[in-house]
Amino acid sequence: MGGGDIGITFYWYAWIFTIIVFFFIQNKKIRRDLLLFVGLLMCTYEIFPWDPSTQIYFHVSFLFIFGVYIWIRKKRAFFNHFWPFIFSVGYASIWMFLVIHPIWVNFPGASLSIILFIWMLRVVMDDLGGLIAIWLLTNAGGTLISYLIFTLYQKEGLIDTQVTNSFVMKGLIILLLFHGVDQLKRSIRKKKTRPKGAALV
């Protein structure tokens, strides 16, 4: 896939994400932060096209800053602070394996791995803000680890920040879809538990 195709894919994901956030996220703080995040990411998508290395470090820092900002807004259990690092190492391992052995990308069901990965995130974190933060931090940490290791072998060109940004947006959309399903289930349960004959206000 060419760089132009990747850019088109990224902006499609970004606009779909923007629409979902604007119309369906009820928490005003999260909605504001996510709209700011996607807006800045779209504006800086190719901020350093002449220097891929600087662009990678910029976007990794961008993801890290937003991830930490959302993560620290809520008090969390001590062990939960290790999850971003654990998932970053796992992400980097899988990412490097797929880059070295790209044939596995075409393996049936490989595209579903992102859904499985996000499901694993939902097992350890139950709030939307925490899930979004872990996803951003995992991508930032995993991309940085992969890039530094490939740099040691002078293979840093294998990491493409455009692909990474598209992957980030795709994951965020899946997170929001899971969140929407949870909200729908919660709404249905509330209706079922409403006392019969209760007046609607």
Side-chain angles (χ1 to χ4, degrees):
M1 185 186 297
D5 293 333
I6 297 174
I8 293 172
T9 301
F10 166 77
Y11 282 107
W12 266 110
Y13 285 149
W15 281 113
I16 291 172
F17 176 78
T18 301
I19 292 171
I20 294 174
V21 171
F22 187 82
F23 289 104
F24 299 105
I25 298 300
Q26 299 176 350
N27 187 301
K28 292 183 178 180
K29 287 185 177 180
I30 293 180
R31 184 170 64 220
R32 178 201 62 198
D33 293 341
L34 292 182
L35 290 176
L36 178 61
F37 167 80
V38 71
L40 290 175
L41 189 59
M42 284 193 286
C43 291
T44 60
Y45 178 69
E46 285 189 289
I47 191 170
F48 299 109
W50 62 87
D51 191 348
S53 177
T54 301
Q55 182 156 300
I56 286 176
Y57 284 122
F58 175 84
H59 280 121
V60 164
S61 301
F62 179 78
L63 295 176
F64 179 78
I65 290 171
F66 258 91
V68 170
Y69 170 70
I70 297 174
W71 179 259
I72 64 175
R73 209 162 51 191
K74 179 179 179 180
K75 188 175 182 180
R76 305 182 185 280
F78 176 75
F79 185 77
N80 284 344
H81 295 294
F82 291 97
W83 285 120
F85 175 76
I86 294 172
F87 281 116
S88 293
V89 174
Y91 174 99
S93 301
I94 296 172
W95 183 252
M96 288 187 292
F97 176 81
L98 293 177
V99 169
I100 296 174
H101 305 285
I103 190 173
W104 286 98
V105 175
N106 300 319
F107 189 78
S111 60
L112 298 177
S113 59
I114 184 175
I115 297 178
L116 176 62
F117 190 80
I118 289 176
W119 179 82
M120 292 173 59
L121 294 183
R122 287 164 51 83
V123 171
V124 302
M125 191 62 53
D126 57 359
D127 67 292
L128 180 61
L131 286 168
I132 292 171
I134 284 188
W135 179 247
L136 297 181
L137 291 172
T138 295
N139 278 272
T143 300
L144 181 61
I145 293 172
S146 302
Y147 183 76
L148 292 177
I149 291 176
F150 280 132
T151 299
L152 294 176
Y153 297 95
Q154 298 182 341
K155 299 288 186 180
E156 60 271 18
L158 294 174
I159 301 297
D160 189 339
T161 184
Q162 296 181 354
V163 174
T164 301
N165 287 336
S166 295
F167 186 73
V168 169
M169 295 310 307
K170 184 177 181 179
L172 288 174
I173 290 173
I174 294 174
L175 273 175
L176 294 185
L177 291 178
F178 272 123
H179 176 69
V181 172
D182 289 340
Q183 292 292 94
L184 182 60
K185 289 180 178 179
R186 194 173 296 114
S187 177
I188 293 174
R189 281 198 299 267
K190 285 183 179 180
K191 289 182 179 180
K192 287 183 177 180
T193 56
R194 179 182 295 154
K196 293 183 177 180
L200 295 175
V201 179

